[in-house]
Amino acid sequence: KLKTFNPFIKEYYLAKERIVTIATGTEEAIHHNFANYLDILMKDRNSMFKVNVTDVATNAESIAQTNVGNTDYGIASEYALSNSNVENIRYVCSLYDANVLILSDDRNTQLFDFSDLEGSSLSVHIGPKGSLSNVMARRVMDLCGISVERMNVVETSYDSLLEDYGKSVRVVFLVSVMNNELLLKLTDSISSHFITLNKLNNGNLYSKTAAEIQIYKENPYLHKTLLDYNDFSKMYPKLARLNERQHYIPSIKTRYVLFAHNGLEEDIGYFVLKTISKNLHNLSSFMPSSTLLDISFSLLPLELEKGARKFYKEENLIVTNEENSDCVYYINGAKCPENKLELTGRLTDINIFSVNAF
């Protein structure tokens, strides 16, 4: 009532308005779009918080800026988080998937799987040095038992790739969200198809071979996925199929994560996550409708941000183990690991998704 009827009190509150800063790596424009969308949501609700979007060059820089407290929030991949100093980083939610997309031009008719490239003369573009695609490509080679020296890798800029694809470059390794302008340009210029990643994904999302179990336990930032040609053909109408009977391509993905500095006020953390979760249905009017954005949990051993913990408990998505306050688990009964925070489940599809399938 004081805020509503006393203009002097209202002016005082507005003068104390909190600026929430978000560091967004520029490798994926979707981060910037998401942060701007959140700013719009805050303004629509006449919030006491404002959003200031800070562009940084890479995922790693987004993590570094938030870890030292220069920004309140950051967005980066699970892969980047697992390889960075996250002492002061707190987990909020996972936002959207970054799929490993291995694109081959249609002249490579004998090329079916990524492992077929070992010892081949075909040039594989793995992204510029330091990019997420580049570091992930090297990690995937290692996990597949492929020596980098036995791959004809190219690490030029993406502008050069557009000139060279279909000529000196015959295969492209990308880590990207579904909506990717570069992928659209590549598939429009040269008839292309996806190839599989069978050594890391046997094609079954709900079970794992003994080798896969070991890989995914040691690399919690990786997840099995199936690329649906029907979904991708809507975004990339000229995308071809090497085998017309194959509707899904086994591959892997990492997730992009929203995280916060451990000094973030609980009420801000709670309000931001609640605002996101209650307005996911509005994303289609702001972001490409084919972009798959949902809030899901992660297997990364990160502590929960205080406001996020409050929100998840309020929504009955998690319960805490009173004997171990650092342990939070999915309410359907997943067991707490002894010393790590582990979250399993998905807010928008909580009943059918479980990443704790070991």
Side-chain angles (χ1 to χ4, degrees):
K1 290 182 179 179
L2 286 174
K3 290 183 186 180
T4 303
F5 297 111
N6 189 324
F8 298 103
I9 296 295
K10 184 174 182 180
E11 287 176 8
Y12 169 78
Y13 271 91
L14 291 177
K16 295 293 184 181
E17 190 173 62
R18 173 73 154 79
I19 305 297
V20 177
T21 55
I22 303 179
T24 61
T26 54
E27 286 183 296
E28 292 279 9
I30 190 172
H31 304 338
H32 192 89
N33 292 345
F34 172 78
N36 284 330
Y37 169 73
L38 185 57
D39 185 25
I40 290 172
L41 288 180
M42 298 294 193
K43 290 176 180 175
D44 285 348
R45 278 145 190 80
N46 194 25
S47 167
M48 299 308 294
F49 315 125
K50 281 186 177 179
V51 173
N52 179 37
V53 181
T54 303
D55 281 332
V56 294
T58 63
N59 280 230
E61 184 65 15
S62 176
I63 296 167
Q65 291 297 321
T66 306
N67 190 57
V68 298
N70 290 341
T71 54
D72 297 301
Y73 285 96
I75 301 174
S77 66
E78 289 177 310
Y79 179 86
L81 282 164
S82 68
N83 289 278
S84 301
N85 177 8
V86 292
E87 179 182 359
N88 298 314
I89 296 292
R90 299 295 179 262
Y91 179 87
V92 177
C93 64
S94 298
L95 294 173
Y96 27 78
D97 295 335
N99 299 296
V100 169
L101 309 172
I102 307 173
L103 190 70
S104 169
D105 79 51
D106 280 352
R107 290 178 295 164
N108 304 327
T109 55
Q110 301 303 312
L111 181 63
F112 299 98
D113 187 74
F114 184 67
S115 60
D116 296 336
L117 289 164
E118 186 176 15
S120 168
S121 61
L122 296 175
S123 296
V124 185
H125 192 281
I126 62 173
K129 291 182 179 180
S131 67
L132 177 61
S133 293
N134 190 294
V135 293
M136 280 283 286
R138 292 176 177 276
R139 184 60 182 144
V140 166
M141 289 181 211
D142 183 50
L143 292 173
C144 290
I146 299 173
S147 170
V148 177
E149 288 72 25
R150 288 182 51 77
M151 294 276 278
N152 188 11
V153 300
V154 177
E155 300 174 297
T156 56
S157 69
Y158 289 123
D159 287 337
S160 297
L161 171 63
L162 292 172
E163 295 291 328
D164 298 335
Y165 183 56
K167 302 171 187 174
S168 59
V169 172
R170 304 289 299 280
V171 179
V172 179
F173 186 105
L174 280 174
V175 181
S176 173
V177 293
M178 191 175 185
N179 179 41
N180 185 298
E181 185 179 351
L182 174 63
L183 187 60
L184 179 61
K185 290 178 179 178
L186 293 173
T187 54
D188 278 353
S189 64
I190 301 291
S191 182
S192 306
H193 61 273
F194 289 138
I195 62 174
T196 60
L197 196 53
N198 284 324
K199 284 197 175 181
L200 300 183
N201 186 345
N202 65 353
N204 189 335
L205 292 184
Y206 303 103
S207 68
K208 294 180 175 69
T209 64
E212 287 177 347
I213 288 174
Q214 190 65 27
I215 287 171
Y216 290 104
K217 277 187 175 181
E218 294 176 355
N219 302 274
Y221 51 84
L222 295 180
H223 316 277
K224 295 170 69 172
T225 190
L226 294 176
L227 307 177
D228 188 332
Y229 260 113
N230 289 330
D231 288 340
F232 275 88
S233 63
K234 294 174 185 176
M235 283 296 301
Y236 312 102
K238 294 187 179 181
L239 183 67
R241 306 185 196 194
L242 189 60
N243 182 345
E244 289 296 329
R245 293 173 298 176
Q246 190 170 33
H247 301 293
Y248 298 93
I249 298 293
S251 190
I252 60 172
K253 66 184 179 183
T254 188
R255 295 193 182 98
Y256 281 113
V257 169
L258 179 67
F259 51 87
H261 184 261
N262 66 351
L264 184 72
E265 300 92 321
E266 181 179 314
D267 58 342
I268 295 179
Y270 172 84
F271 181 80
V272 168
L273 181 55
K274 185 172 184 177
T275 300
I276 295 170
S277 66
K278 300 304 181 185
N279 291 278
L280 290 176
H281 61 282
N282 292 326
L283 283 170
S284 59
S285 63
F286 184 78
M287 304 174 76
S289 57
S290 59
T291 297
L292 304 178
L293 193 155
D294 67 287
I295 297 178
S296 59
F297 293 145
S298 171
L299 285 175
L300 294 179
L302 294 172
E303 288 187 39
L304 263 181
E305 186 276 319
K306 298 184 293 294
R309 179 187 288 262
K310 176 183 177 181
F311 174 78
Y312 287 134
K313 289 183 68 175
E314 183 180 275
E315 295 294 314
N316 290 322
L317 291 172
I318 60 173
V319 293
T320 55
N321 183 330
E322 298 301 330
E323 297 178 0
N324 181 359
S325 60
D326 290 332
C327 179
V328 180
Y329 59 96
Y330 178 39
I331 200 165
N332 277 10
K335 294 182 179 179
C336 272
E338 291 182 4
N339 299 312
K340 292 184 178 180
L341 166 69
E342 182 166 351
L343 299 173
T344 60
R346 182 183 295 240
L347 290 184
T348 56
D349 206 1
I350 202 75
N351 294 319
I352 66 169
F353 182 84
S354 174
V355 291
N356 190 23
F358 301 123

